[in-house]
Amino acid sequence: DAKTTQPTSMDCAEGRAANLPCNHSTISGNEYVYWYRQIHSQGPQYIIHGLKNNETNEMASLIITEDRKSSTLILPHATLRDTAVYYCIVRVVGSGTYKYIFGTGTRLKVLA
Amino acid sequence: DAGITQSPRYKITETGRQVTLMCHQTWSHSYMFWYRQDLGHGLRLIYYSAAADITDKGEVPDGYVVSRSKTENFPLTLESATRSQTSVYFCASIPGQGGYEQYFGPGTRLTVT
């Protein structure tokens, strides 16, 4: 199963773009990259996902390298409410079912 | 309200007791998942289910039992609770093979004394 590697923590100034990197060098061709975040002790919240093309939605942008071995989640204008733990996940497909393997994530602190 | 709910939200039990955590979703999602999250750590998959009567092990299944007789319910049972099972437990679901977003419940905080 493909694993992900993320920095343990990052700081970002309020109003600036937050760029959160993720390494998934063993990803296979049919595996998607997902991003979730967890604010305090709430249940994780879906942010965005992608396969090979860059993706954008109302929350964030996802940039995936051409070799798919790494990706970056971009929060274009970080606010204090974006302070959370961000998880990069590779969607594992096996035996007709789907497993989501969470790593330890990146703790993003947005500073006023 | 529709959604995914967990009960109880908080539970304290003693070592050796059997405990069942409930998860209920109102969307008729095919896939359901149980995770545990220990203090300061990420989520670890315990069990998952692709449909009623279909379950499979995740990363850390030892000491847990699941069942899924109905699509909307996915209970997690600790047959003989141990202190190492003190954790926050999250249930989640996705609609099926075409679903991308995993919806999480609010979590159950379990303390085993």
Side-chain angles (χ1 to χ4, degrees):
Chain A
D1 296 347
K3 301 295 184 185
T4 62
T5 303
Q6 300 176 252
T8 303
S9 63
M10 294 180 64
D11 291 340
C12 177
E14 189 178 20
R16 302 297 294 269
N19 296 278
L20 292 88
C22 179
N23 180 284
H24 32 79
S25 58
T26 60
I27 193 170
S28 61
N30 61 348
E31 290 177 323
Y32 287 76
V33 179
Y34 287 75
W35 284 84
Y36 285 77
R37 72 180 182 184
Q38 187 174 26
I39 298 173
H40 296 302
S41 56
Q42 299 174 19
Q45 175 192 22
Y46 166 84
I47 301 173
I48 199 168
H49 75 278
L51 182 62
K52 56 179 75 173
N53 297 321
N54 298 337
E55 303 287 345
T56 297
N57 63 20
E58 65 278 3
M59 289 183 68
S61 294
L62 174 60
I63 308 298
I64 302 174
T65 59
E66 191 169 344
D67 63 8
R68 302 187 71 236
K69 293 185 177 181
S70 65
S71 60
T72 301
L73 177 74
I74 302 172
L75 307 178
H77 304 288
T79 71
L80 298 178
R81 288 176 294 180
D82 292 322
T83 293
V85 178
Y86 287 78
Y87 295 98
C88 170
I89 301 153
V90 172
R91 182 181 183 185
V92 178
V93 178
S95 303
T97 58
Y98 297 86
K99 295 193 291 187
Y100 291 73
I101 307 298
F102 283 73
T104 53
T106 296
R107 185 173 296 277
L108 175 69
K109 183 183 289 186
V110 180
L111 306 173
Chain B
D1 289 339
I4 184 165
T5 57
Q6 294 183 235
S7 61
R9 294 293 313 281
Y10 302 90
K11 176 75 176 178
I12 300 174
T13 191
E14 296 177 342
T15 300
R17 299 263 189 175
Q18 182 180 80
V19 177
T20 295
L21 309 183
M22 302 302 296
C23 178
H24 175 79
Q25 49 101 356
T26 59
W27 298 301
S28 297
H29 285 176
S30 299
Y31 293 86
M32 297 187 74
F33 305 80
W34 274 108
Y35 296 89
R36 62 176 287 174
Q37 184 172 36
D38 302 317
L39 191 63
H41 292 81
L43 285 81
R44 291 185 291 172
L45 182 65
I46 305 172
Y47 269 96
Y48 63 103
S49 169
D53 298 321
I54 301 175
T55 62
D56 205 350
K57 296 178 180 179
E59 300 174 84
V60 288
D62 293 343
Y64 302 94
V65 174
V66 293
S67 61
R68 193 158 177 217
S69 57
K70 293 183 178 181
T71 299
E72 61 267 28
N73 296 323
F74 191 37
L76 176 74
T77 298
L78 289 68
E79 293 188 301
S80 179
T82 65
R83 290 195 181 91
S84 65
Q85 292 177 310
T86 292
S87 189
V88 179
Y89 291 83
F90 289 101
C91 178
S93 70
I94 60 173
Q97 292 193 14
Y100 298 106
E101 180 177 349
Q102 194 167 173
Y103 296 84
F104 282 82
T108 294
R109 186 175 297 275
L110 176 68
T111 302
V112 182
T113 61

